[in-house]
Amino acid sequence: MDGNGRWAKKRFLPRLAGHKQGVEALRACVQDCRTRGVRVLTVFAFSSENWNRPADEVSGLMALLGLAVVHEIKALSDNGVRLYFVGNRSALSPKLVSALVDAEQKTAMNEQLILNVCLNYGGRWDIAQAASSLASSGTTITPESLDRAMAMAHVPDPDLFIRTGGEQRLSNFLLWQAAYSELYFSDKLWPDFDGTELDAAIAAYSGRERRFGKISEQLTPTLKDGHAD
Ligand code: IPE
Ligand code: MG
């Protein structure tokens, strides 16, 4: 969800105002995904590297996350959204961790849309923690065993990977899982990424041919329709 800071700067507002608008954009995006039949939405809220930002921005982001989780839980529940917080919790405050656990428990029965919020997350962290848990239990490391040990093991690999804010890089998001994802880069700043932009991303995705290493002639009509898993 890149571009909050620039969105605020363009309006002569503090960066935190951009992050607040980012929460609004996420709320709308969750609804837009639901109405379009998307079953899993995974967002990058705070990376392992974001701790290096100025201290007031980090503390502002943490406070905003805590507030958003508490405020949104009822509406999310009413809309059938199941929350997961994915990332290394050891550096988060115990108060925030208990709010996250509470939100996960309160939404655990919901089935319409899974919303994964990646928090103090990094793709390299996930690969390393999966490998180290396999090593400590003496399990052979294979692509399949690693896959099962990942913090993202509860959902399929993403079909579509969207980055907003104009940069064309992955920035340590879903490194393992994005092996065959279709990448889509939008110049829109995250607070401006609305339903129309989501439709444009889905339309671009629909036009891609996903071959998964095969050649075009081998693909079944289902695969060509983009329903491969
Ligand atoms: C949001 O956008 C990403 C978060 C860490 C919450 P940025 O804060 O990176 O916004 P820009 O890139 O400065 O515009
Ligand atoms: Mg940025």
Side-chain angles (χ1 to χ4, degrees):
M1 301 186 285
D2 198 15
N4 295 346
R6 281 164 283 167
W7 184 93
K9 196 171 180 186
K10 270 175 37 183
R11 289 162 179 78
F12 305 100
L13 294 168
R15 291 181 58 86
L16 203 60
H19 295 312
K20 283 188 182 149
Q21 198 61 33
V23 175
E24 302 297 316
L26 178 56
R27 186 189 301 121
C29 187
V30 168
Q31 289 303 335
D32 291 336
C33 284
R34 278 184 64 247
T35 55
R36 285 156 182 77
V38 173
R39 301 302 305 276
V40 182
L41 173 65
T42 303
V43 296
F44 204 177
F46 192 89
S47 78
S48 334
E49 290 75 32
N50 286 149
W51 296 108
N52 297 320
R53 291 192 175 196
D56 60 337
E57 181 166 350
V58 171
S59 60
L61 272 168
M62 288 296 151
L64 183 62
L65 277 160
L67 281 175
V69 170
V70 174
H71 282 156
E72 302 295 330
I73 195 160
K74 171 137 184 11
L76 289 172
S77 255
D78 290 348
N79 287 311
V81 179
R82 178 168 189 174
L83 272 168
Y84 285 89
F85 294 94
V86 180
N88 183 357
R89 295 181 181 188
S90 66
L92 305 177
S93 80
K95 197 172 163 226
L96 180 58
V97 173
S98 81
L100 305 184
V101 171
D102 186 56
E104 286 183 336
Q105 285 170 352
K106 284 189 173 135
T107 61
M109 302 302 284
N110 299 337
E111 292 185 331
Q112 275 221 24
L113 173 79
I114 288 180
L115 173 60
N116 296 307
V117 178
C118 292
L119 196 52
N120 195 20
Y121 168 91
R124 290 175 175 177
W125 163 80
D126 198 9
I127 296 167
Q129 72 75 26
S132 107
S133 81
L134 294 179
S136 61
S137 66
T139 312
T140 310
I141 296 180
T142 63
E144 293 73 27
S145 67
L146 261 180
D147 209 45
R148 283 191 295 272
M150 293 275 174
M152 291 295 298
H154 60 289
V155 285
D157 289 344
D159 292 311
L160 172 60
F161 181 118
I162 301 174
R163 176 162 188 158
T164 59
E167 314 289 358
Q168 305 206 353
R169 55 176 170 259
L170 305 186
S171 297
N172 202 14
F173 193 39
L174 303 176
L175 292 183
W176 176 270
Q177 294 82 1
Y180 277 98
S181 300
E182 296 299 329
L183 306 181
Y184 182 84
F185 297 101
S186 165
D187 286 333
K188 289 280 173 184
L189 303 174
W190 170 250
D192 296 326
F193 190 87
D194 58 12
T196 308
E197 300 301 322
L198 181 63
D199 286 335
I202 293 173
Y205 169 84
S206 308
R208 307 269 179 95
E209 183 181 70
R210 306 188 75 195
R211 291 190 294 278
F212 298 95
K214 297 182 179 176
I215 65 166
S216 207
E217 288 71 17
Q218 291 175 294
L219 304 180
T220 64
T222 320
L223 277 171
K224 276 193 162 177
D225 285 348
H227 297 297
D229 52 29

